[in-house]
Amino acid sequence: MSEKIQSLRGMPDILPADAPLWQHLEDTAAAVLRRYGYARISTPILESTALFTRSIGAATDIVEKEMYTFADRHEESISMRPEGTASVVRAMLQHGLLQTPGQKVWYQGPMFRYERPQRGRMRQFHQIGAEVFGLAGPDIDAELIAMSARLWSELGILGQLRLELNSLGSPAERRQYRSQLHDWLAQHRDSLDEDSQRRLDTNPMRILDSKNPAMQALIEAAPKLSAALGDDSRRHFEQLTGMLDAMGIAWQHNQRLVRGLDYYTHTVFEWVTDDLGAQGTVCAGGRYDGLVALHGGPEVPGVGFAMGEERLVELLGQQQRDFGQRPDIYLIIADPQLQAEALALNERLRDALPGRIVLSNLAGGSLRAQFKRADRSQAQIALVLGSQEWAAGEITVKWLRSERAQTSVSLAQLADWLQQNMPNN
RNA sequence: GUGGGCGUAGCUCAGUGGUAGAGCACCGCGUUGUGGCCGCGGCGGUCGUGGGUUCAAUCCCCAUCGUCCACCCCA
């Protein structure tokens, strides 16, 4: 007796029942991205481990303990991508696509992080992301954020989200603030909780967004990041917020928003909801001006974001909308002798009505059983083909979702008749 | 990696130290050419797995795996 094999922990199947939600999200996102001039890029799931350690930061949790890393058959260390930006930068650079400024690309696909699963956090999860290269000004930051806001609005979830915004300044300013913060926190080491003491030397800025209530007073008293910004950084941020205001996009300045990845500079932002439990960030991004150079490329600035599809799908699922597409026609075969004729008839209908969903009853069954299946399929119309109809060159049309009277239509005119009589939905 | 909750039918869950039930779903019949509502019948479980206590364990104990939620981290 063999044991049943199950899917790996944290790697869920996405079942047909949820497919319409995913399809709606991905279709909507693709359409919005297209309207802003983004082209799709697809990169491999496996990359050199060094790509991620270099860009995400060797001291981050993602690289330290969450990557799926292993040696391939030639003992090269390879990793499954934990996020999308590093791969996109690599691909753009590798193919010389950064020569012209203003490249806009987007991607969609699975990412992998070895974490303990919980609501909104899986080991295999999916992101849709957008990246823009070669534009340094706040205008593209603003357009990028506006594009995300438009997507939320088209998905009907804008009201559940709030935009949090911050500036990390230039790499130099960020570095300087980091050490200033570290020194200040080190003086208060005794007031830090266990987690924060551990973070003090590895990633002191992360202490700022600690959830521990006992830490809040200390965090309030700590030196502010905004005070460490130079004139250029401050102007970038002010121009960005001015543009957001002009576009009517509400935002909040969250000085504790520091983001997890090492490569961010200047603008960082998150779209957050209270409707998903502890993992409320639905989309996050920012500017990464040093990243391309870090990978041996020219000094090309970049900015982008990534959204978590699982989290957005859950949000969409909370609204009781129906994204599924229902069949239009279900063909009932009243006489088993007519199976071949029935299949041929439906092929002709599919030729004539390309926009319609046309089902054939398969595997026989009593008329009663076939009607039951037709009803359950949610089809608008049941067609009944039996020996009586066949002899007369007709077919029976029965409306399943309305009280319209059952009728007979000649087979020769069936496609035209359906065209004229079936409502478009 | 840490803490807590939960594992009984496809799903949601009851239940008892003497090897199990409901609702929904599914199949059939009531109508030998008509679905939905209703009625009747049926299919379906090694009670997560392994060990221990006991005459006897789905129930008690231990371990293990899975799952959910939170911490951490992050989309």
Side-chain angles (χ1 to χ4, degrees):
Chain A
M1 270 314 200
S2 53
E3 229 169 279
K4 259 188 211 161
I5 294 178
Q6 296 199 0
S7 62
L8 263 26
R9 167 168 230 203
M11 302 210 173
D13 299 306
I14 298 168
L15 299 176
D18 287 329
L21 247 49
W22 284 80
Q23 197 65 47
H24 179 69
L25 169 62
E26 291 178 3
D27 289 350
T28 308
V32 169
L33 285 155
R34 192 175 65 86
R35 291 167 66 191
Y36 284 80
Y38 287 74
R40 184 160 184 176
I41 185 169
S42 295
T43 63
I45 286 167
L46 288 170
E47 297 269 7
S48 254
T49 301
L51 174 67
F52 301 118
T53 55
R54 202 193 290 175
S55 49
I56 297 169
T60 58
D61 277 15
I62 292 181
V63 165
E64 266 186 354
K65 45 192 201 197
E66 294 175 3
M67 279 213 298
Y68 281 89
T69 295
F70 43 90
D72 72 3
R73 292 181 189 226
H74 295 289
E75 299 304 317
E76 187 191 351
S77 179
I78 58 179
S79 295
M80 294 168 79
R81 61 183 186 195
E83 59 107 38
T85 301
S87 304
V88 171
V89 168
R90 194 225 81 228
M92 298 297 283
L93 211 47
Q94 181 174 333
H95 297 98
L97 299 176
L98 297 178
Q99 303 304 314
T100 48
Q103 296 288 328
K104 291 173 162 179
V105 295
W106 71 278
Y107 61 86
Q108 185 281 137
M111 308 292 164
F112 304 84
R113 291 181 199 172
Y114 191 92
E115 302 180 272
R116 191 95 164 242
Q118 70 181 75
R119 186 178 182 189
R121 191 182 72 180
M122 291 292 127
R123 289 182 172 181
Q124 173 170 334
F125 60 104
H126 297 79
Q127 290 187 333
I128 298 172
E131 317 283 359
V132 183
F133 296 94
L135 303 180
D139 50 352
I140 181 58
D141 300 9
E143 190 192 72
L144 202 60
I145 290 171
M147 179 171 72
S148 60
R150 180 175 298 278
L151 177 58
W152 314 144
S153 139
E154 296 205 356
L155 292 172
I157 58 174
L158 182 58
Q160 295 169 83
L161 302 179
R162 63 175 181 277
L163 172 62
E164 300 193 347
L165 205 60
N166 198 17
S167 173
L168 300 180
S170 67
E173 289 159 357
R174 180 183 163 154
R175 221 175 300 122
Q176 194 202 331
Y177 172 70
R178 185 185 149 121
S179 73
Q180 183 193 354
L181 181 67
H182 171 272
D183 294 347
W184 188 88
L185 288 169
Q187 290 168 14
H188 300 78
R189 190 181 282 270
D190 295 342
S191 319
L192 297 175
D193 63 18
E194 201 182 328
D195 280 328
S196 298
Q197 295 208 7
R198 178 175 51 76
R199 280 182 290 209
L200 182 56
D201 293 312
T202 56
N203 202 347
M205 282 165 66
R206 281 235 71 109
I207 296 175
L208 293 180
D209 59 9
S210 167
K211 287 179 187 170
N212 187 346
M215 298 281 300
Q216 300 310 308
L218 188 70
I219 292 169
E220 278 305 316
K224 290 282 179 292
L225 176 55
S226 55
L229 298 184
D231 288 345
D232 288 350
S233 295
R234 208 180 306 255
R235 195 176 315 114
H236 186 106
F237 189 71
E238 280 164 9
Q239 287 177 341
L240 166 61
T241 58
M243 292 170 191
L244 291 177
D245 290 341
M247 291 186 287
I249 294 168
W251 56 277
Q252 295 170 6
H253 190 183
N254 178 358
Q255 297 227 41
R256 301 178 183 182
L257 180 63
V258 294
R259 310 282 313 117
L261 284 49
D262 276 0
Y263 53 62
Y264 284 109
T265 56
H266 296 289
T267 309
V268 290
F269 66 92
E270 279 188 12
W271 288 96
V272 186
T273 180
D274 295 321
D275 299 334
L276 290 179
Q279 310 296 328
T281 301
V282 126
C283 172
R287 184 161 275 286
Y288 45 87
D289 290 346
L291 189 57
V292 174
L294 187 67
H295 285 284
E299 283 289 341
V300 172
V303 58
F305 65 67
M307 55 188 112
E309 292 193 74
E310 278 78 2
R311 296 177 185 179
L312 288 165
V313 163
E314 187 179 343
L315 227 41
L316 285 177
Q318 287 173 8
Q319 43 193 64
Q320 293 299 42
R321 284 205 282 158
D322 183 12
F323 298 105
Q325 59 297 63
R326 315 191 152 186
D328 297 292
I329 294 161
Y330 190 103
L331 177 57
I332 287 171
I333 304 158
D335 178 351
Q337 306 287 347
L338 293 172
Q339 271 171 356
E341 289 80 356
L343 288 174
L345 169 65
N346 262 355
E347 286 306 316
R348 289 199 299 277
L349 287 182
R350 292 186 184 104
D351 287 340
L353 309 169
R356 297 296 186 176
I357 299 175
V358 178
L359 305 183
S360 300
N361 185 79
L362 302 172
S366 67
L367 205 67
R368 172 193 171 97
Q370 294 194 49
F371 263 101
K372 254 179 135 115
R373 286 177 217 151
D375 182 51
R376 246 189 333 233
S377 80
Q378 311 244 57
Q380 280 190 64
I381 279 183
L383 298 179
V384 184
L385 183 63
S387 40
Q388 293 163 25
E389 287 88 349
W390 188 250
E394 296 182 331
I395 198 157
T396 299
V397 178
K398 171 154 183 173
W399 297 89
L400 296 175
R401 314 283 138 209
S402 77
E403 297 307 312
R404 277 179 81 166
Q406 179 170 315
T407 181
S408 286
V409 177
S410 94
L411 283 169
Q413 288 163 5
L414 179 60
D416 288 342
W417 188 92
L418 290 167
Q419 192 104 287
Q420 283 164 24
N421 285 275
M422 284 193 21
N424 297 306
N425 72 310

